[in-house]
Amino acid sequence: VCALVTSRLDYGNALLHGVNKRVIDKLQRVQNTAARIVTRTKKYDHITPSLISLHWLPVESRVQYKIILYTFKILHGIAPQYLSDITTVYQPPRSLRSQSAMLLCTPRVRTKRYGEQRFD
């Protein structure tokens, strides 16, 4: 149960960043239920001690942790190549103190607004 739940919760974590709180709450309920099954905790007992004993982070913190972990791996060259290919380390045009800060560039995305779309 532990491996099944954690692998399913971790699948696609990056897509869950910035998602509506309602979606995160649904996933948190799934994690809480799985923790109750694994630890045989009653329905009305507090779930936090069970999550701590299993070393499980709450879903929102888990999403943030995974994104930070991927970023660390990208910056240190130990990430998969497809992730390294889509990220760019910021290189200032002149010498700045922030040059050694290992900042990432935000990619420019051009999206068309509703009025600018053409229907050919």
Side-chain angles (χ1 to χ4, degrees):
V1 174
C2 284
L4 177 69
V5 171
T6 56
S7 68
R8 293 291 102 197
L9 285 174
D10 285 343
Y11 180 73
N13 276 29
L15 299 175
L16 295 175
H17 181 69
V19 169
N20 191 348
K21 179 119 172 77
R22 183 176 289 163
V23 174
I24 297 292
D25 288 343
K26 286 181 183 179
L27 291 172
Q28 187 63 56
R29 282 195 297 268
V30 170
Q31 186 183 30
N32 292 350
T33 304
R36 287 184 197 285
I37 291 170
V38 170
T39 59
R40 296 182 181 159
T41 308
K42 294 182 177 149
K43 184 176 182 179
Y44 295 106
D45 291 344
H46 287 287
I47 195 62
T48 306
S50 299
L51 292 174
I52 290 171
S53 70
L54 292 170
H55 301 284
W56 286 359
L57 290 171
V59 173
E60 192 169 359
S61 299
R62 190 179 198 93
V63 169
Q64 290 175 352
Y65 171 77
K66 283 294 202 172
I67 290 174
I68 292 169
L69 180 67
Y70 287 144
T71 306
F72 175 84
K73 287 183 174 186
I74 289 167
L75 290 175
H76 291 86
I78 53 178
Q81 191 61 40
Y82 70 93
L83 289 177
S84 299
D85 290 344
I86 61 174
T87 54
T88 324
V89 177
Y90 174 67
Q91 295 295 330
R94 60 183 186 274
S95 180
L96 298 174
R97 284 183 289 176
S98 64
Q99 190 169 353
S100 62
M102 296 176 73
L103 300 173
L104 296 176
C105 292
T106 305
R108 296 182 127 211
V109 179
R110 178 171 166 82
T111 57
K112 292 186 178 184
R113 296 185 180 159
Y114 184 72
E116 296 174 343
Q117 292 179 353
R118 292 186 352 187
F119 298 99
D120 291 335

